[in-house]
Amino acid sequence: MSLSDFYSARPGSRTRLLLNFGDSRDDVVGAAAAALDLIKNKEVKAILGPRTSMQASFMIEVGQKSQVPIISFSATSPFLDSGRSPYFFRSTYDDSSQVQAISEIIKVFGWREVVPVYEDNAFGEGIMPGLTDALQAINIRIPYRTVISPNATDDEISNELLKLMTKPTRVFVVHINRFLASRWFPKAKETGLMKEGYAWILTNGVIDNLGLMNETDIIAMQGVIGIKTHFPISKELKTFRSRLAKAFPVSELNVYGVRAYDATTALAMAVEEAGTSNMTFSKMDGRNISDLEALSVSQYGPKLIHALSEIKFKGLAGDYYFTDRQLHVSVFEIVNVVGTGEMMVGFWSQEKGLVRDLSPSSRTTRTFSTWRDHLNPIVWPGFTTTVPRGWEIPTNGKKLKIGVPVDTFPQFVKVKKDPITHETIVTGFCIDFFEAVIQAMPYDVSHRYIPFGDQDGKPYGNFNDLLHQVYLGVYDAVVGDTTILANRSSYVDFTLPYTTSGVGMVVPLKDSVTRSSLIFLRPLTWGLWVTALCSFFVLGIVVWILEHRVNTDFTGPWLYQISTMFWFAFSIMVFAPRERVLSLSARVVVISWYFIVLVLTQSYTASLSSLLTTQQLNPTETSMKNLLAKGQEGPVGYQRDSFILGKLRESGFPNSRLVPFNSAEECEELLRNGPSKGGVSAAFMEVPYVKVFLGQYCKNYRMVEVPFDVDGFGFVFPIGSPLVADVSRAILKVAESNKATQLEDSWFKNIDETCPDPITNPDPNPTVTFRQLGLDSFLVLFATAGAVWFIALLRFVVYFLIKNRDILRDNRTHCQRMKKMLQRFMESDDRSYINDVKPTCPSVVTPPRQQNTGPGQGDN
């Protein structure tokens, strides 16, 4: 039909193609024999075919040797790379051209793992390199793959399907021929792999031939989505379909029929362009050589392949031209198998990616979009519109093998053996938290714990070695006090952290107060002591000056007056002076001093009590910077087999200063001994361990710094495991509930009930910086008292001078006047005070003592 249409449209053509048919008998050897017969005996100038990729492999070599172009419209394996031979033209798309469409479908639905299912031949294996690269580019894992023989029995197919059912991945990319698909999917439905939760993606090897399959097989494929070769709808294609239906009523036009039509037209155009000159074959000497070696070489071949490379026309399938001897890929259809047919749900193009339609106005949304922005609604297996999650724990599959550390703080993970059953029992905060997370997940996860150590409890390695077992596939996960670190995330995946983050620095506390026999002097500064002592003397002098002329308690011999003066001053300190104060000025002076003494003694008593009864605990070290400044002095501790060792080395600590410990008790012993007894100055451990440690020893140790920031503890899974997202969401649920608090209270309940939480209240013994009471604290009081005393003295002096102005007016010499004034100052002033108060206050003033009075005394 192609040649008839071509020459009917071009009646003036100078050439005509004569078709010679070779029967391949649907066999690789038969195809090779037919090709040899056509070239050797019939000297064909080109070969259209063969049908399969397996048949084409040998024929390409034959065409290369004889310079006869091979034009295949159905051999799709990428292994038949046109670059291998300039005489091979692929008049169809190779299978790797659809891998980008497949990867975008997987990406838009958010699946993280897929399982390829393909034939065990060149057709099936050819797609795998391209598919693997495309999936790796978007971080999609291929945990395993299923390879099925084209001649597999029903039992072999059932066995492969049962293996898939026991695996967690529920997304499958299937690349098989339609004959194998008609057996595979009925068995898949029978096994239970076509129900809700599964996703199947078919390549065009089956979808392009869906019309050739019977209805029963198509019904078994319900919910499958597939890639289909796209042909633009044109008038020519509709007309050809109608003509073909009339000529062959039992046949249906498929993609290979359209490709065969266009390939024949292209060959006819190329022959017309190349002409008919030099169409001979060069014969080989046939003696003592095989039939293959005796192949003739076409002299026409080079001209014909050049003409084929230049061909461009609009065929039934659209624009037809070769790029590197292959057709240019433009668009694929995305279809959904529903009922006994297919439903188009979108398109894929190199320019737009996944789109609902190909209209010029349609635009793909590549950011912040969902699958609904790219595709129309899809019916999935199980007749549901719910998108399969793509991964689940099979109920009939194996339990997850979870590795746990054996050498860590028992509050986090503790491994022991039951003495009776010899069964391994794993407990601890990490284990209980993981169990709570599993309970919060939307599906059941069967698992078992495997200690990473021998029968005696000795670990096989450190935490990095344990995590590496996940990378190697020995364990499916790790549950324990495993810290999330950047270098570890390069080979395993972590969930969200479920503990507080950071590395804390713990140091001993020491009492900063030195208790000695002179401790009573510490509350006050020397300046205040001297000022107070001097004030006592000044007060005694001031009160004596104001009282000795009117108060007999302050009179008498000089030594008696001096002793009375200072006795009175110091007895005021206990508010019990024996001597009475009579004058108003003296009383004001004494009252002002009483107030100072009250404040000063109370402050002194409080400060001394604090020194004698309260421990002034201060950390021995305040920062890691101070430790580093000591050079080779002062060892520091770290938890054995922890990443902290590397952190300390990076910070500048030499190996000679690093001391490992295994438990909280061992750490406490090292800190208690200190560097002088073979211990350490500080210990570095992660904040959760600090919480456990300070919960037991908060009285003597403190966390002073968090020098390293880390992300806390997380559960470990293989890279790309879909469990990571589900477990992380479950961690958030547990963390937001009261279950997390209950677990912490259960496992981290302090042995010493007086120890507060070192995280929420990290300073149970707050540092009390003792401050001596100085003169500046009482400066206002002393200044005020001094002013009062000065005013009282000034008043006394003025009154005294006024009363004794007769002496100042005397004509005696200056020395005589001063002597007389001093004599008058030492005399009692009965006239001015005592006699006035006797009638009303007989009990206040005592009778004057018998003494010699000077001249003029007692005039009143």
Side-chain angles (χ1 to χ4, degrees):
M1 294 181 70
S2 174
L3 292 177
S4 175
D5 292 346
F6 179 79
Y7 292 121
S8 296
R10 297 171 177 81
S13 298
R14 297 175 290 108
T15 60
R16 288 290 188 276
L17 291 185
L18 177 63
L19 298 179
N20 291 274
F21 294 94
D23 187 2
S24 68
R25 296 180 176 85
D26 201 19
D27 181 72
V28 175
V29 177
L36 289 172
D37 178 64
L38 290 172
I39 295 173
K40 183 177 180 181
N41 298 324
K42 298 183 180 180
E43 294 187 346
V44 296
K45 304 304 182 289
I47 295 179
L48 285 168
R51 188 178 65 82
T52 68
S53 299
M54 289 70 71
Q55 297 169 5
S57 183
F58 177 75
M59 289 181 60
I60 293 173
E61 299 298 332
V62 174
Q64 170 76 15
K65 188 172 183 63
S66 61
Q67 295 187 0
V68 174
I70 307 296
I71 307 170
S72 176
F73 49 81
S74 57
T76 58
S77 174
F79 288 166
L80 306 174
D81 189 358
S82 299
R84 289 171 50 189
S85 171
Y87 289 89
F88 175 61
F89 287 79
R90 195 198 305 268
S91 183
T92 186
Y93 300 154
D94 74 29
D95 291 330
S96 63
S97 62
Q98 58 190 313
V99 298
Q100 290 298 327
I102 294 172
S103 66
E104 287 205 28
I105 291 174
I106 295 170
K107 180 180 179 180
V108 79
F109 285 110
W111 296 321
R112 300 295 303 276
E113 290 185 355
V114 298
V115 174
V117 179
Y118 57 93
E119 288 186 40
D120 188 13
N121 55 27
F123 164 73
E125 295 171 352
I127 197 174
M128 286 309 298
L131 180 62
T132 302
D133 292 342
L135 296 179
Q136 286 181 346
I138 57 174
N139 296 321
I140 303 299
R141 289 184 66 241
I142 300 178
Y144 42 90
R145 58 187 70 187
T146 296
V147 184
I148 186 74
S149 170
N151 301 317
T153 64
D154 288 348
D155 290 340
E156 291 174 338
I157 292 175
S158 296
N159 289 336
E160 292 297 330
L161 289 168
L162 287 173
K163 291 179 183 178
L164 292 179
M165 179 174 280
T166 60
K167 304 293 185 180
T169 307
R170 294 291 184 259
V171 181
F172 309 103
V173 176
V174 182
H175 183 59
I176 55 179
N177 63 60
R178 66 183 176 91
F179 303 105
L180 186 55
S182 65
R183 299 167 57 214
W184 177 270
F185 283 98
K187 284 294 182 182
K189 183 178 181 181
E190 180 182 321
T191 308
L193 271 73
M194 297 301 296
K195 61 184 180 181
E196 185 176 355
Y198 288 86
W200 294 85
I201 303 174
L202 275 172
T203 62
N204 60 4
V206 174
I207 298 298
D208 284 345
N209 293 289
L210 199 64
L212 303 178
M213 301 176 66
N214 62 56
E215 292 184 356
T216 304
D217 297 336
I218 296 175
I219 290 175
M221 299 166 59
Q222 294 299 299
V224 170
I225 57 177
I227 311 298
K228 184 178 181 180
T229 304
H230 172 71
F231 295 145
I233 299 176
S234 63
K235 181 180 179 181
E236 292 79 9
L237 182 59
K238 291 181 179 180
T239 301
F240 183 75
R241 285 183 185 274
S242 177
R243 289 171 53 205
L244 185 67
K246 292 178 181 179
F248 304 97
V250 296
S251 299
E252 182 178 343
L253 181 64
N254 64 5
V255 61
Y256 301 116
V258 176
R259 295 298 190 197
Y261 183 97
D262 287 347
T264 306
T265 301
L267 180 59
M269 294 179 66
V271 170
E272 183 71 16
E273 181 68 24
T276 57
S277 61
N278 198 13
M279 300 186 71
T280 61
F281 277 78
S282 300
K283 300 289 184 179
M284 301 291 294
D285 187 359
R287 292 175 296 179
N288 299 324
I289 59 175
S290 65
D291 288 345
L292 184 58
E293 293 174 324
L295 278 177
S296 302
V297 178
S298 172
Q299 304 300 312
Y300 188 65
K303 285 199 301 180
L304 184 56
I305 64 172
H306 176 74
L308 278 170
S309 300
E310 301 295 327
I311 289 296
K312 288 185 180 181
F313 67 97
K314 188 173 182 63
L316 292 181
D319 295 334
Y320 189 100
Y321 61 93
F322 289 107
T323 302
D324 294 330
R325 293 175 293 281
Q326 298 195 77
L327 289 187
H328 174 69
V329 181
S330 56
V331 178
F332 284 108
E333 297 176 9
I334 312 300
V335 299
N336 184 200
V337 178
V338 180
T340 58
E342 62 191 43
M343 176 178 65
M344 188 180 301
V345 295
F347 298 88
W348 177 87
S349 68
Q350 290 183 335
E351 295 79 15
K352 296 184 177 182
L354 287 177
V355 291
R356 291 181 175 180
D357 58 71
L358 294 175
S359 60
S361 59
S362 66
R363 294 182 179 180
T364 181
T365 306
R366 295 187 180 272
T367 57
F368 305 108
S369 62
T370 65
W371 69 269
R372 294 181 179 84
D373 299 316
H374 300 269
L375 299 172
N376 292 312
I378 295 174
V379 178
W380 298 97
F383 294 97
T384 178
T385 57
T386 303
V387 177
R389 185 170 55 238
W391 191 95
E392 66 181 43
I393 298 294
T395 56
N396 57 346
K398 297 180 180 179
K399 293 183 177 180
L400 285 182
K401 296 179 294 184
I402 299 180
V404 294
V406 298
D407 189 15
T408 184
F409 281 29
Q411 289 87 349
F412 292 97
V413 178
K414 184 178 182 180
V415 179
K416 62 180 180 180
K417 277 191 175 293
D418 189 293
I420 300 176
T421 64
H422 300 289
E423 180 183 357
T424 300
I425 301 174
V426 184
T427 59
F429 170 76
C430 299
I431 303 301
D432 286 357
F433 198 99
F434 182 74
E435 292 294 339
V437 167
I438 294 301
Q439 293 297 322
M441 292 181 67
Y443 49 86
D444 181 55
V445 180
S446 300
H447 59 279
R448 61 190 179 96
Y449 298 109
I450 304 175
F452 186 59
D454 57 23
Q455 297 294 328
D456 298 328
K458 184 178 180 181
Y460 291 137
N462 57 29
F463 276 92
N464 290 334
D465 298 327
L466 173 58
L467 268 58
H468 195 64
Q469 304 308 304
V470 177
Y471 173 76
L472 295 176
V474 177
Y475 298 141
D476 299 314
V478 167
V479 171
D481 44 344
T482 48
T483 305
I484 302 172
L485 297 176
N487 62 333
R488 292 174 175 175
S489 64
S490 63
Y491 55 90
V492 292
D493 269 353
F494 287 94
T495 63
L496 291 175
Y498 60 92
T499 62
T500 314
S501 63
V503 175
M505 174 179 162
V506 178
V507 298
L509 298 175
K510 66 176 181 179
D511 193 349
S512 60
V513 177
T514 303
R515 290 171 173 80
S516 65
S517 58
L518 297 178
I519 193 173
F520 68 91
L521 296 175
R522 286 200 61 187
L524 307 182
T525 62
W526 284 110
L528 184 56
W529 276 118
V530 172
T531 302
L533 186 61
C534 293
S535 298
F536 279 112
F537 288 109
V538 173
L539 173 70
I541 295 172
V542 171
V543 172
W544 176 80
I545 291 174
L546 299 177
E547 286 289 304
H548 81 284
R549 300 186 70 245
V550 296
N551 191 340
T552 57
D553 288 342
F554 292 90
T555 59
W558 275 105
L559 290 177
Y560 177 79
Q561 291 190 49
I562 293 173
S563 63
T564 300
M565 182 189 312
F566 295 115
W567 165 259
F568 176 83
F570 283 97
S571 63
I572 285 181
M573 186 170 59
V574 293
F575 308 103
R578 181 176 60 85
E579 295 76 14
R580 292 171 296 175
V581 178
L582 303 179
S583 66
L584 177 63
S585 298
R587 289 181 175 181
V588 172
V589 168
V590 171
I591 289 173
S592 67
W593 183 243
Y594 270 154
F595 186 74
I596 292 179
V597 170
L598 176 65
V599 174
L600 192 61
T601 54
Q602 293 295 328
S603 300
Y604 174 83
T605 302
S607 182
L608 183 60
S609 299
S610 176
L611 281 173
L612 294 175
T613 60
T614 304
Q615 283 186 314
Q616 311 297 325
L617 297 178
N618 294 309
T620 55
E621 301 289 346
T622 57
S623 68
M624 188 177 70
K625 184 178 180 181
N626 293 342
L627 289 174
L628 288 170
K630 294 184 177 181
Q632 297 295 328
E633 299 179 3
V636 296
Y638 68 93
Q639 189 175 1
R640 190 184 300 274
D641 298 330
S642 171
F643 70 95
I644 298 177
L645 173 61
K647 293 284 187 181
L648 293 175
R649 286 173 175 170
E650 293 174 3
S651 300
F653 286 97
N655 290 333
S656 59
R657 294 184 63 188
L658 302 177
V659 180
F661 58 85
N662 291 318
S663 63
E665 292 74 19
E666 187 176 342
C667 176
E668 193 277 334
E669 182 180 358
L670 290 173
L671 289 172
R672 175 164 35 87
N673 291 336
S676 60
K677 298 181 180 179
V680 297
S681 301
F684 291 88
M685 61 186 92
E686 291 175 77
V687 170
Y689 300 121
V690 174
K691 190 173 184 179
V692 173
F693 180 80
L694 294 184
Q696 302 178 29
Y697 305 108
C698 67
K699 300 294 185 181
N700 301 316
Y701 306 98
R702 183 184 305 166
M703 183 176 72
V704 295
E705 188 183 18
V706 181
F708 307 114
D709 290 327
V710 293
D711 289 334
F713 295 163
F715 302 126
V716 180
F717 293 92
I719 286 182
S721 172
L723 263 180
V724 174
D726 292 341
V727 172
S728 295
R729 282 189 285 267
I731 287 174
L732 294 178
K733 291 180 182 178
V734 175
E736 292 171 359
S737 68
N738 61 352
K739 183 65 176 179
T741 304
Q742 293 174 2
L743 291 175
E744 290 185 4
D745 291 342
S746 174
W747 286 102
F748 302 142
K749 188 175 182 180
N750 298 326
I751 295 177
D752 187 344
E753 295 294 340
T754 63
C755 288
D757 190 322
I759 307 304
T760 59
N761 184 14
D763 205 352
N765 297 300
T767 301
V768 179
T769 304
F770 176 75
R771 181 175 181 270
Q772 288 182 302
L773 300 175
L775 181 61
D776 55 337
S777 302
F778 304 93
L779 186 60
V780 173
L781 291 177
F782 280 106
T784 303
V788 170
W789 298 355
F790 176 77
I791 294 173
L793 287 175
L794 181 62
R795 177 177 178 274
F796 173 82
V797 170
V798 171
Y799 286 171
F800 179 76
L801 293 177
I802 292 175
K803 287 183 179 183
N804 297 280
R805 56 183 177 274
D806 57 323
I807 298 175
L808 297 176
R809 295 172 181 172
D810 199 339
N811 292 326
R812 300 177 186 179
T813 63
H814 179 69
C815 290
Q816 291 175 338
R817 288 199 302 269
M818 289 298 295
K819 185 177 179 181
K820 183 63 176 177
M821 188 68 74
L822 181 59
Q823 184 180 8
R824 185 69 58 87
F825 173 74
M826 296 303 299
E827 295 173 355
S828 296
D829 191 9
D830 297 333
R831 183 181 50 180
S832 62
Y833 182 77
I834 297 175
N835 294 335
D836 292 339
V837 300
K838 276 182 181 181
T840 58
C841 301
S843 61
V844 174
V845 181
T846 59
R849 298 175 184 177
Q850 297 298 325
Q851 56 181 330
N852 295 327
T853 57
Q857 185 173 2
D859 293 341
N860 294 329

